[in-house]
């Protein structure tokens, strides 16, 4: 699920201490700087640079090597060295490279990774060296590398994923519900979940998820202030949303174990045929059918309820780069529309972040199959999707928030008490 964070809380906190204690703020040992300590990006595109990716070599060597070859052909005199790091321990690797002043010229990052590095002044603010960003990438992907309380953009968006709704048509039919016209709001979802429970004698569930911080974002409820200094998801609107889930749980519209640590999750339950609704990525149907072929012909999709969540990979440029003009050119080339579209065709679950790709019929037109329809819905959602959780939210914060939400849903405390306590704890940890 998109809600899973790309980096553990311990690594975030350890990284902050490590970067600060090593004095790695400012421009590093790069070249001349412009206003605000930003390196100058002007100059000839030539010479050597290093590209670092995250766990791509085993499956996508031909693609990355092809992009590099095409770049070197376009810019004679350039030479790109490709480093690919394993999936496990990537955040620790970045921190080690940062502490040694050895971040590669173009480094694969996520919003969480780039936030930690940018906060210490280690990354180039791309707004200061590239005035084409807004015209080149969909807004939500850029926003993923723009942080509350910190001016600038600290990553070129690369490939994206988002989520949409999936419905089990048999389960819907059992409740006399129309899968062709599924719920489009939370209130409608709860109403139809109630109808299904009544029609099935309490044996079938539509809903099987509990809210998390990203649920507030999806509903358009602010989670953190504009300065990035204070969490604010204890508003009246947030309390009302949690009350809706609280009442639904009390009515028995969700499985009793939805709050347990060992709960399978709504995606797994949907795949098993146990519930009628889930959210997942654009290639979910194929994955679900591999696990449960009996679902064939029984899955339909619809747009996400509220603001779709966005997961984004990107590439950042460290201030320590000794060849900023070529690093910038490589980052732009890697993330241009043509190269992103080629990558997305290799990986069905991802989409390009380039605005030009929105006009590509290969992504925006379905093939008449449920799988094709789902991918079109996901693709069209990219222009509205946004990263659901602020980068300031650590794993420790999420754990505490989830505990308070669970306590509210079971009736131990009120929704207001739960969110007040959660916000207070998050702000205490944020201040540290």
């Amino acid at each position: 699920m998109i809600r899973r964070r790309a980096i553990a809380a311990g690594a975030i906190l350890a990284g902050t201490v490590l970067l600060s204690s090593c004095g790695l703020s400012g421009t590093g040992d790069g070249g001349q700087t412009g206003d605000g300590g930003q390196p100058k990006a002007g100059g000839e595109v030539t010479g050597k640079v290093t590209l670092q990716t995250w766990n791509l070599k085993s499956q996508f060597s031909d693609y990355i090597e092809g992009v590099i070859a095409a770049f070197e052909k376009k810019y004679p005199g350039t030479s790109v060295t490709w480093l690919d790091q394993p999936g496990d321990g990537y955040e620790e690797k970045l921190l080690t490279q940062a502490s040694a002043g050895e971040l590669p010229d173009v480094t694969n990052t996520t919003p969480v990774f780039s936030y930690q590095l940018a906060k210490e002044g280690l990354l180039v603010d791309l707004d200061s060296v590239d005035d084409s960003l807004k015209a080149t990438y969909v807004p939500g992907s850029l926003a993923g590398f723009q942080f509350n309380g910190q001016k600038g953009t600290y990553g070129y968006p690369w490939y994206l994923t988002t989520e949409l709704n999936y419905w089990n048509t048999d389960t819907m039919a059992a409740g006399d519900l129309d899968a062709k016209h599924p719920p489009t709001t939370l209130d409608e979802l709860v109403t139809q979940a109630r109808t299904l429970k009544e029609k099935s004698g309490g044996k079938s569930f539509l809903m099987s998820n509990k809210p998390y911080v990203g649920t507030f974002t999806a509903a358009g409820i602010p989670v953190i202030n504009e300065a990035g200094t204070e969490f604010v998801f204890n508003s009246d609107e947030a309390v009302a949303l949690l009350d809706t889930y609280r009442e639904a749980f009390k009515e028995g519209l969700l499985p009793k174990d939805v709050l347990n640590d060992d709960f399978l999750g709504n995606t797994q339950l949907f795949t098993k045929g146990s519930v009628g609704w889930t959210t997942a990525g654009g290639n979910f149907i194929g994955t679900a059918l591999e696990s449960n072929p009996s679902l064939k012909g029984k899955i339909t999709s619809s747009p996400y309820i509220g603001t779709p969540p966005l997961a984004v990979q990107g590439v950042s440029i460290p201030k320590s780069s000794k060849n900023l003009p070529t690093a910038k050119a490589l980052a732009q080339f890697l993330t241009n529309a043509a190269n992103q579209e080629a990558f997305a065709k290799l990986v069905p679950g991802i989409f390009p972040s380039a605005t030009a790709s929105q006009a590509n019929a290969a992504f925006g037109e379905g093939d008449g199959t449920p799988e094709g329809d789902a991918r079109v819905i996901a693709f069209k959602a990219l222009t509205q999707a946004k990263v659901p959780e602020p980068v300031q939210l650590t794993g420790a914060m999420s754990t505490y928030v989830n505990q308070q939400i669970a306590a509210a849903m079971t009736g131990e405390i009120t929704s207001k008490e739960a969110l007040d306590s959660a916000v207070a704890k998050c702000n205490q940890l944020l201040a540290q």
Side-chain angles (χ1 to χ4, degrees):
M1 299 285 290
I2 281 178
R3 69 194 63 176
R4 294 176 182 168
R5 301 186 62 75
I7 184 170
I12 290 178
L13 298 176
T16 302
V17 173
L18 174 62
L19 296 174
S20 300
S21 65
C22 293
L24 294 177
S25 61
T27 60
D29 57 357
Q32 290 181 314
T33 61
D35 294 340
Q38 292 295 331
K40 293 180 179 179
E44 185 180 5
V45 178
T46 188
K48 298 179 179 180
V49 289
T50 300
L51 166 67
Q52 177 166 284
T53 57
W54 183 9
N55 197 30
L56 296 180
K57 197 163 192 174
S58 62
Q59 297 186 61
F60 305 109
S61 287
D62 289 345
Y63 171 76
I64 297 294
E65 288 170 356
V67 171
I68 290 173
F71 176 79
E72 293 174 341
K73 181 178 180 180
K74 180 177 180 179
Y75 296 102
T78 60
S79 176
V80 179
T81 298
W82 177 29
L83 302 176
D84 186 68
Q85 302 297 341
D88 293 336
Y90 186 62
E91 63 271 19
E92 288 86 357
K93 180 64 176 181
L94 285 181
L95 297 175
T96 299
Q97 291 172 324
S99 67
E102 296 176 350
L103 283 169
D105 299 280
V106 179
T107 298
N108 192 174
T109 54
T110 65
V112 170
F113 296 152
S114 61
Y115 168 68
Q116 288 299 314
L117 298 173
K119 189 170 64 172
E120 300 300 326
L122 298 175
L123 299 182
V124 173
D125 170 13
L126 301 179
D127 286 338
S128 70
V129 300
D130 189 343
D131 58 7
S132 68
L133 292 175
K134 290 183 179 179
T136 305
Y137 306 95
V138 295
S141 66
L142 277 177
F145 294 96
Q146 298 165 343
F147 312 121
N148 295 58
Q150 187 163 353
K151 183 179 179 181
T153 303
Y154 294 92
Y156 282 99
W158 193 2
Y159 52 95
L160 314 174
T161 59
T162 186
E163 292 187 356
L164 62 153
N165 292 320
Y166 292 95
W167 310 92
N168 185 311
T169 56
D170 278 4
T171 302
M172 297 283 280
D176 291 336
L177 304 175
D178 186 357
K180 293 182 179 180
H181 299 89
T184 59
T185 67
L186 176 59
D187 286 342
E188 290 178 2
L189 178 65
V190 172
T191 297
Q192 294 201 20
R194 183 179 298 116
T195 298
L196 178 61
K197 178 190 176 185
E198 293 171 353
K199 294 286 185 179
S200 68
K203 296 179 180 180
S204 295
F205 294 98
L206 193 62
M207 300 173 65
S208 60
N209 66 328
K210 64 179 179 181
Y212 73 115
V213 170
T215 306
F216 301 119
T217 301
I221 298 171
V223 170
I224 196 167
N225 66 4
E226 291 185 3
T229 57
E230 184 178 6
F231 287 97
V232 294
F233 56 90
N234 58 339
S235 61
D236 290 344
E237 294 80 4
V239 171
L241 186 150
L242 182 52
D243 276 342
T244 298
Y245 277 92
R246 172 189 172 104
E247 291 304 315
F249 184 77
K250 183 179 179 180
E251 283 189 56
L253 304 185
L254 292 83
K256 291 182 179 179
D257 60 348
V258 70
L259 304 178
N260 297 349
D261 290 338
D262 59 353
F263 179 64
L264 289 177
N266 61 341
T267 300
Q268 289 192 47
L269 289 180
F270 184 93
T271 302
K272 289 166 64 71
S274 302
V275 300
W277 165 69
T278 189
T279 61
N283 65 332
F284 170 71
I285 293 179
T287 303
L289 294 181
E290 287 180 5
S291 299
N292 185 359
S294 69
L295 289 175
K296 186 173 180 60
K298 301 177 182 179
I299 304 176
T300 189
S301 57
S302 68
Y304 196 86
I305 296 175
T307 301
L310 183 71
V312 52
Q313 290 279 336
V315 289
S316 298
I317 300 175
K319 288 184 179 179
S320 58
S321 172
K322 293 182 174 64
N323 192 351
L324 181 55
T326 304
K328 172 187 168 184
L330 176 59
Q332 291 172 324
F333 189 80
L334 177 68
T335 61
N336 69 28
N339 283 325
Q340 288 208 54
E341 289 170 12
F343 196 25
K345 289 177 182 178
L346 292 175
V347 190
I350 67 171
F351 298 100
S353 62
T355 55
S357 299
Q358 290 293 307
N360 189 326
F363 298 100
E365 297 180 3
D367 57 7
T369 66
E371 293 87 342
D373 291 344
R375 279 185 56 78
V376 170
I377 292 172
F379 178 67
K380 290 183 176 180
L382 295 177
T383 55
Q384 292 83 40
K386 63 186 297 183
V387 175
E389 296 181 339
V391 291
Q392 292 88 347
L393 189 78
T394 66
M397 294 176 188
S398 292
T399 297
Y400 189 82
V401 172
N402 290 338
Q403 290 170 348
Q404 294 305 300
I405 286 176
M409 290 181 66
T410 58
E412 296 176 36
I413 56 179
T414 67
S415 296
K416 177 64 173 173
E417 290 170 336
L419 295 185
D420 282 346
S421 179
V423 165
K425 183 66 172 182
C426 288
N427 285 333
Q428 176 190 356
L429 294 173
L430 184 64
Q432 297 174 2

